[in-house]
Amino acid sequence: MSTSAVLQHHRDSARVAWLRLRQAPVASLFSILVIGIALALPAGLYLLVDNLQRAAGGLATQAEMTVFLKKEVDAADGQAMALALQKLRGVASARFVDRDAGLAELERGGLEEILTVLPQNPLPHALVIQPARADAALLDKLEQDLRARSEVDDIARASDWTRRLDALVRFGNTLAAVLGWLLGLAMAAITGNTIRLQIYALREEIEVSRLIGATDRFIRRPFLFFGLYQGLLGGLAAWLLTLLAVFALNLSVGEFAKSYGSDFVLTPLDVLSSLALLGGASLLGLAGAWLSVQYTLRRLI
Amino acid sequence: MIELSGVCRRYPGGYEVLSGVDLHIARGEKVFLTGRSGAGKSTLLRLIGAIDRPTRGQVIVGGQNLSKMSRGALPYMRREIGLVFQDHKLLYDRSALDNVMLPLLIREMPRADAQRRARAALDKVGLREREKAVPVTLSGGEQQRLCIARAVVAHPHILLADEPTANLDEAYARDIMDLFMAFNSTGTTLVIATHDHDLIARHGGRHVALEGGRVSG
């Protein structure tokens, strides 16, 4: 048998599967919609977490770190250290703050009365470090490296919100993965059940084909294409649903962000994520079809 | 070619249709199975056709013990055998041409070649003009001929026919038997279950009578 004959039979099976999908348009549409909604939930959650990470990245200015140098470190050494730190990965900027400038900043901050009772400037020289992004792991590593330096006395981090955000993002990612697996299985089960019903409806044809020499592979093929189509179309429905959700949410998110002086808006799934959604949905449809055909055919005949 | 040794077939409920059948059919032989209704003719054909398995004994076709064949190997064995069923077993929502093409498509033959050969087979059984008709619009005799066209289209080595001329008028019955004989003359082994003793007298060949679940003559 030639390769072109094999390809032709795959084409025939693909055509038969497409016709079966179109033969019951309403039932097919509902199955696709159910799959679409099931997949849109984890995809939407992933999208939300991804946008949250992006938004957090934009707030990196609020994740700055103040490094207090030891008293014996003079201004020249502090400035040299600031220059050296600027070259480190993960550091967007490192600014040297002279102890007098620090005191002036405190005075401007409303602590003038307290400072007048102090006999001398209690502040050491300091460095204000701006991280490249608000990433808790990056900030922890940076802090650890800085604390190991002999010139450093203490470090103050603006707040631990990055740590909380990081935990929230991790939780969101885990939840999206768990939901993805659960609803992916549900999707495979939906496809499997549709195919099981189809097999029962086509029982006579399958029996006749078996009697005249059809292999399991020959019988299975159109059902596998059917599962693939249903998965792919379900994935497409999920993609469209998330896209619509992003457009709908952006009406209020945009307004909200604007009130904080930000032009932040939610972005839809990027090309790679979209392809992963469509590919994953197709594979799940195929897997559901495979399992269902294997199981049902063995019980049927 | 076909070897049955001590073949028994008991159906659920305990009724034994065949009880110890021994039969040898050589390659290219022409065999007529006779016997009363319920004598086990159809069961014997089903066993040779690898549709059913014996309760005891063994059925060997082309050197292969069918009882020991794997599920995966059975379809390839069935492709060597053309079956004409008493109840036709046609696909009633497909055209006559599609029905006859099916065994060829199962063999993954290119569609154009399959169409050409299916049309030739339909021509041989006098249904060339009805290729687009679905079986429900065909008469009993036409459905029978369609079933025969499907059985012979892939040129099987063995042709098993269960009452192939039962629904046909005399002229078509003669044509169909001539077709079977033509296949037999090219080396196809022919096993036909029939009640028609005139048919046997006209075409010769070996006569195997079944009685009480055994070969009686």
Side-chain angles (χ1 to χ4, degrees):
Chain A
M1 189 182 43
S2 66
T3 312
S4 67
V6 174
L7 285 177
Q8 188 179 34
H9 284 281
H10 275 82
R11 268 204 308 273
D12 283 349
S13 298
R15 189 178 56 86
V16 167
W18 184 248
L19 290 176
R20 283 179 191 166
L21 199 72
R22 286 181 53 183
Q23 260 168 9
V26 178
S28 298
L29 187 68
F30 277 120
S31 295
I32 289 164
L33 264 182
V34 170
I35 291 168
I37 291 166
L39 291 177
L41 289 172
L45 188 61
Y46 166 78
L47 190 70
L48 210 62
V49 171
D50 190 50
N51 274 284
L52 190 65
Q53 271 178 316
R54 201 166 50 81
L59 297 173
T61 50
Q62 292 176 26
E64 67 183 23
M65 192 181 273
T66 307
V67 179
F68 297 105
L69 302 177
K70 284 184 177 157
K71 284 271 171 60
E72 58 268 25
V73 179
D74 61 24
D77 287 344
Q79 278 167 342
M81 196 174 160
L83 282 173
L85 285 175
Q86 266 182 340
K87 290 171 188 160
L88 285 182
R89 253 182 91 189
V91 174
S93 69
R95 176 168 60 91
F96 174 74
V97 181
D98 182 79
R99 67 176 63 170
D100 296 330
L103 189 69
E105 267 186 42
L106 283 182
E107 281 172 351
R108 279 197 302 275
L111 297 173
E112 194 177 358
E113 279 182 38
I114 299 169
L115 294 174
T116 52
V117 298
L118 295 174
Q120 59 185 28
N121 183 357
L123 297 177
H125 294 307
L127 303 172
V128 175
I129 295 176
Q130 192 65 57
R133 55 185 193 279
D135 179 331
L138 173 77
L139 292 174
D140 286 346
K141 174 79 172 55
L142 192 59
E143 184 181 341
Q144 197 184 347
D145 290 349
L146 288 169
R147 279 192 191 280
R149 287 176 173 249
S150 58
E151 306 94 320
V152 174
D153 185 31
D154 197 10
I155 294 175
R157 277 168 64 172
S159 71
D160 58 354
W161 69 270
T162 50
R163 212 183 300 272
R164 289 190 191 130
L165 180 70
D166 203 52
L168 187 70
V169 165
R170 267 207 304 275
F171 172 71
N173 275 330
T174 309
L175 191 65
V178 170
L179 267 180
W181 275 106
L182 285 177
L183 295 169
L185 283 177
M187 183 214 136
I190 293 166
T191 305
N193 191 49
T194 311
I195 283 170
R196 189 178 65 85
L197 295 175
Q198 258 190 26
I199 291 174
Y200 279 108
L202 296 167
R203 184 185 180 142
E204 201 176 79
E205 181 175 333
I206 292 169
E207 278 178 354
V208 170
S209 302
R210 271 259 165 85
L211 291 178
I212 58 178
T215 55
D216 280 356
R217 196 178 55 214
F218 181 86
I219 294 168
R220 198 165 48 215
R221 205 178 288 151
F223 295 109
L224 295 185
F225 273 107
F226 187 91
L228 188 75
Y229 291 154
Q230 208 173 47
L232 180 66
L233 292 172
L236 200 62
W239 184 80
L240 280 172
L241 285 171
T242 54
L243 193 68
L244 286 174
V246 165
F247 280 128
L249 285 171
N250 267 341
L251 296 176
S252 48
V253 168
E255 285 291 312
F256 181 72
K258 210 174 282 176
S259 69
Y260 281 88
S262 165
D263 57 355
F264 175 78
V265 284
L266 295 170
T267 54
L269 291 172
D270 59 24
V271 175
L272 208 63
S273 305
S274 301
L275 288 176
L277 174 65
L278 295 178
S282 306
L283 283 177
L284 279 170
L286 196 64
W290 178 279
L291 290 172
S292 178
V293 173
Q294 290 294 95
Y295 177 73
T296 315
L297 281 186
R298 280 181 190 275
R299 280 172 64 96
L300 192 70
I301 305 163
Chain B
M1 181 76 180
I2 301 169
E3 186 82 48
L4 286 88
S5 330
V7 169
C8 296
R9 183 66 179 99
R10 188 189 296 268
Y11 283 113
Y15 178 60
E16 194 166 78
V17 189
L18 299 174
S19 21
V21 170
D22 294 307
L23 182 65
H24 174 83
I25 299 170
R27 185 186 298 272
E29 203 176 353
K30 179 169 51 186
V31 174
F32 290 94
L33 288 176
T34 60
R36 289 182 188 167
S37 294
K41 302 187 294 293
S42 300
T43 301
L44 197 61
L45 290 182
R46 287 174 66 85
L47 291 174
I48 297 171
I51 297 171
D52 208 352
R53 291 183 188 228
T55 317
R56 270 203 321 277
Q58 58 182 21
V59 179
I60 295 172
V61 177
Q64 305 270 350
N65 187 340
L66 299 188
S67 306
K68 290 183 179 166
M69 257 187 152
S70 69
R71 183 185 165 91
L74 271 176
Y76 297 98
M77 170 54 72
R78 287 182 184 143
R79 290 179 190 183
E80 302 299 317
I81 301 167
L83 291 155
V84 179
F85 302 95
Q86 220 169 352
D87 58 354
H88 311 140
K89 294 204 185 298
L90 298 167
L91 300 179
Y92 288 91
D93 59 344
R94 304 281 184 89
S95 70
L97 183 66
D98 283 344
N99 267 279
V100 180
M101 277 169 65
L102 189 61
L104 304 173
L105 295 179
I106 282 170
R107 287 160 175 79
E108 306 199 323
M109 180 182 280
R111 184 165 277 273
D113 293 348
Q115 268 183 354
R116 190 175 42 75
R117 278 179 67 167
R119 286 196 171 112
L122 282 171
D123 199 30
K124 280 178 185 163
V125 298
L127 287 175
R128 179 69 175 83
E129 304 303 315
R130 307 293 313 269
E131 68 169 50
K132 287 181 182 160
V134 288
V136 282
T137 64
L138 301 175
S139 69
E142 284 174 325
Q143 288 185 23
Q144 182 83 319
R145 283 185 277 146
L146 186 56
C147 182
I148 291 164
R150 188 184 63 188
V152 300
V153 72
H155 302 301
H157 293 128
I158 300 168
L159 196 55
L160 307 175
D162 199 353
E163 305 283 1
T165 55
N167 298 313
L168 302 179
D169 60 37
E170 204 176 317
Y172 270 126
R174 201 172 45 242
D175 288 349
I176 292 302
M177 284 311 295
D178 286 346
L179 181 66
F180 282 173
M181 294 309 138
F183 271 106
N184 180 240
S185 68
T186 61
T188 302
T189 307
L190 206 58
V191 184
I192 298 174
T194 183
H195 282 104
D196 190 346
H197 286 272
D198 289 344
L199 195 81
I200 303 167
R202 244 193 335 265
H203 295 284
R206 190 165 139 213
H207 177 198
V208 174
L210 285 174
E211 198 178 316
R214 289 172 184 276
V215 174
S216 67

